[in-house]
Amino acid sequence: MKYVPRLLLFLAIPAVLFLLPWWTLVAAPTAESGPLFWLGSALFLLGFVGLPASMFLGHGPAQSDAASIVGDTLLGVTWVLFSWSVLGNLARAGLTVAGVADPARSRIVAVGVLAATTVLVVWGVVEARRVPRVRTLEVSIPGLGPALDGLRMVVVTDTHYAALDRLRWSERVVEVVNAQRPDIACHAGDLADGSVAKRHAQVDPLGKVEAELGRFYITGNHEYFGDAQGWIDHMTSLGWQPLHNRHEIVRRGDDRLVIAGIDDPTGIALPGHGPDLPAALAGADPDAPVVLLAHQPKQIAEAAAAGVALQISGHTHGGQIWPFHYLVRLDQPVVAGLSRHGERTQLYTSRGTGFWGPQLRVFAPSEITVLVLRSEPASA
């Protein structure tokens, strides 16, 4: 009986996602009668049953890659369809005021919602599967020594290597990263979904990333849904330095920079894991500025209290599929971009390099980020 509330929630979410589009595209335009009504209703019923079933088979104990692809794709398409059904029904009110009567009004709305959904899904797939654009940003770091001025940190995050084989995409991402001439390379978590045995081939090209002063990796929440320690060990074998609540000192000349990393908060479920910022900074030079890798933006509160100069995070995907960013904002202080917290701490939140689940990105493009650290304020 203890699982009944979870089961009801698991079914309630697809019910909400499917009900409004069903009414918008099927019930209203057909006046709930005729063969199109029954055929459309059957398709929506199939989707309502298929979504939770495929998500459970794909992401539950069975870990079926085929079911995962079906469920994730259906989830993304349904979300776009639901969102634009909401907008379509707002437009319906305008048509009513304009004097457009049914059935023409409902049919205009249905055609508009279906057309918008089709265009955005096609565009969203292209955006998700493309090699991300490079975003370059200068960030002023108080106390950064002149020898480190202009240091280039290239950030990838949320690659989410999963059921879809993206080996070639991974290789091209590495080519783009190396083309940015990074001094430091960072992966800010959510490396892959699944075990090392199933996903390592897609991850292995990261071993070819070239960065003179170091390659650093932290765990995201998705590592803790699978084999976090296995991924830490595997990234170590590829030449990356996992910052498992620890720091490294980067030196150039007489100047130093602390690169620290902490675990994702979900790590507390695994013995020996979970974020521990005091441990990460223990023994660090108090005169050297700190750049902290922390997967979730909401970890910024503790970072600001500790006087961290810059926190680099991912996790949000920029919302990934509009308008999901409004829901992300309920949980995180920032969805994307550079922001300031407290007197001396900045946070850069990446929209992510890959995608989770639905192979869609709508109004939330992926990115490979180049953060150019400056010892003086960046010019306007």
Side-chain angles (χ1 to χ4, degrees), residues 348-371:
Y348 185 80
T349 305
S350 169
R351 291 187 299 254
T353 309
F355 57 85
W356 176 83
Q359 53 177 320
L360 296 172
R361 274 189 173 270
V362 178
F363 305 138
S366 56
E367 64 180 79
I368 294 170
T369 316
V370 181
L371 299 178

Side-chain angles (χ1 to χ4, degrees), residues 8-181:
L8 292 176
L9 179 63
F10 192 59
L11 295 176
I13 292 174
V16 171
L17 290 176
F18 278 100
L19 187 59
L20 181 61
W22 168 80
W23 188 84
T24 304
L25 298 183
V26 177
T30 62
E32 300 185 34
S33 64
L36 289 179
F37 170 74
W38 293 110
L39 178 60
S41 296
L43 289 174
F44 271 91
L45 180 61
L46 181 63
F48 169 69
V49 174
L51 177 58
S54 56
M55 291 296 285
F56 178 76
L57 290 173
H59 298 284
Q63 292 289 298
S64 166
D65 281 355
S68 174
I69 293 171
V70 172
D72 292 345
T73 301
L74 188 56
L75 176 63
V77 172
T78 303
W79 173 255
V80 176
L81 188 58
F82 171 81
S83 302
W84 287 84
S85 293
V86 172
L87 295 178
N89 281 285
L90 292 175
R92 178 191 300 276
L95 292 173
T96 302
V97 172
V100 180
D102 271 333
R105 179 177 59 213
S106 293
R107 291 171 181 172
I108 290 171
V109 170
V111 170
V113 169
L114 189 58
T117 298
T118 301
V119 170
L120 289 173
V121 166
V122 172
W123 177 56
V125 170
V126 172
E127 278 291 311
R129 294 182 67 88
R130 65 169 292 155
V131 174
R133 300 169 181 86
V134 175
R135 185 180 187 193
T136 302
L137 188 69
E138 293 194 346
V139 182
S140 177
I141 303 294
L144 187 69
L148 291 168
D149 181 60
L151 183 141
R152 297 171 66 82
M153 297 187 68
V154 178
V155 179
V156 295
T157 183
D158 298 278
T159 44
H160 286 283
Y161 294 111
L164 285 167
D165 187 355
R166 289 183 287 148
L167 174 58
R168 179 55 186 150
W169 180 88
S170 183
E171 292 170 341
R172 293 176 65 194
V173 165
V174 169
E175 291 170 2
V176 173
V177 168
N178 286 337
Q180 309 314 307
R181 297 172 290 105

